[in-house]
Amino acid sequence: GAGVSQSPSNKVTEKGKDVELRCDPISGHTALYWYRQSLGQGLEFLIYFQGNSAPDKSGLPSDRFSAERTGGSVSTLTIQRTQQEDSAVYLCASSLAAQVGYIYEQYFGPGTRLTVT
Amino acid sequence: AQKVTQAQTEISVVEKEDVTLDCVYETRDTTYYLFWYKQPPSGELVFLIRRNSFDEQNEISGRYSWNFQKSTSSFNFTITASQVVDSAVYFCALYSGNTGKLIFGQGTTLQVKP
């Protein structure tokens, strides 16, 4: 079946502009995750959705970052007033919902490479 | 604190050699999960294996094997008879608590030369 898809695959934006990154999870996966991968910071967790709810937003780097998920499916990560340090690959992952005593693996999308000039 | 350490930044081997990628983790939780992912040059992270903290059995899948030892907090990954297609960055990751968060190590870049 189809994997996690992300769009756009590449985004170049000017410093100070807002950007929206989109993630389509695997069908049937109720859990959705955003990560950021950069040379200096490695793979960094940003936020997690169970359904449309994000129990913990503390991983978002600043208040310029926000994320939402609608209909338990598509998610959007928005970065306002982008800065050069926001340049990174933004990865989305999805999984089946955790059960009592069992965690499912996360499947990752191809990522969106964001470059802030 | 929760942490994953992959001390080997880069490893280079010649095809058909065996290679072991080390992973050491830290967590205070008694229930946790460990993962290995592969990131080939194409960039997409590929899931390889999941292991929970109550299952210390080693696992073998083809040329891949994993050695989980709670006593040393290690979850090492061995590739037997390496191939050029094994060249990638390999990440070890820890999941504990109910945060949804995978904590990744810094990754080990494996280069397999023909």
Side-chain angles (χ1 to χ4, degrees):
Chain A
V4 177
S5 61
Q6 293 186 245
S7 60
S9 54
N10 279 286
K11 176 74 176 178
V12 180
T13 190
E14 291 180 355
K15 177 181 172 182
K17 302 270 186 167
D18 297 352
V19 295
E20 281 191 356
L21 312 179
R22 176 187 168 106
C23 172
D24 274 283
I26 293 172
S27 177
H29 282 189
T30 57
L32 185 146
Y33 315 80
W34 283 99
Y35 293 83
R36 177 167 74 171
Q37 186 172 24
S38 57
L39 279 174
Q41 300 298 321
L43 272 156
E44 177 188 11
F45 172 82
L46 299 178
I47 193 168
Y48 150 61
F49 287 91
Q50 179 52 52
N52 293 332
S53 300
D56 182 2
K57 300 182 179 180
S58 62
L60 294 174
S62 75
D63 58 9
R64 296 186 294 104
F65 286 72
S66 62
E68 66 174 14
R69 189 179 185 195
T70 54
S73 181
V74 172
S75 175
T76 303
L77 178 68
T78 300
I79 309 173
Q80 295 179 312
R81 306 180 302 283
T82 51
Q83 303 293 312
Q84 287 186 332
E85 61 261 30
D86 299 333
S87 295
V89 177
Y90 289 82
L91 295 169
C92 177
S94 71
S95 75
L96 294 170
Q99 308 294 323
V100 175
Y102 195 83
I103 298 296
Y104 291 93
E105 60 274 16
Q106 298 177 19
Y107 290 92
F108 284 79
T112 293
R113 182 175 295 279
L114 175 67
T115 304
V116 182
T117 61
Chain B
Q2 298 169 340
K3 186 179 177 182
V4 176
T5 301
Q6 294 179 256
Q8 303 150 309
T9 306
E10 292 184 22
I11 300 176
S12 181
V13 299
V14 176
E15 209 170 18
K16 298 184 183 176
E17 284 185 29
D18 298 348
V19 58
T20 295
L21 310 181
D22 297 334
C23 173
V24 174
Y25 62 92
E26 295 176 30
T27 180
R28 293 181 182 175
D29 293 329
T30 54
T31 301
Y32 53 89
Y33 291 78
L34 296 163
F35 299 81
W36 275 95
Y37 283 85
K38 174 182 180 180
Q39 189 173 40
S42 60
E44 197 157 335
L45 279 161
V46 176
F47 165 74
L48 295 178
I49 190 170
R50 174 194 56 239
R51 172 67 73 227
N52 74 49
S53 52
F54 298 109
D55 181 3
E56 287 194 72
Q57 276 192 325
N58 291 331
E59 182 156 338
I60 298 174
S61 176
R63 296 183 297 106
Y64 295 171
S65 62
W66 291 270
N67 182 3
F68 177 31
Q69 293 196 337
K70 286 178 76 170
S71 60
T72 56
S73 297
S74 65
F75 186 43
N76 297 337
F77 173 29
T78 297
I79 302 174
T80 303
S82 59
Q83 299 177 1
V84 172
V85 293
D86 296 328
S87 298
V89 182
Y90 290 86
F91 291 94
C92 180
L94 167 69
Y95 180 101
S96 65
N98 292 313
T99 63
K101 177 193 306 190
L102 276 177
I103 297 167
F104 285 87
Q106 290 299 306
T108 297
T109 300
L110 173 65
Q111 183 181 34
V112 181
K113 298 178 180 176

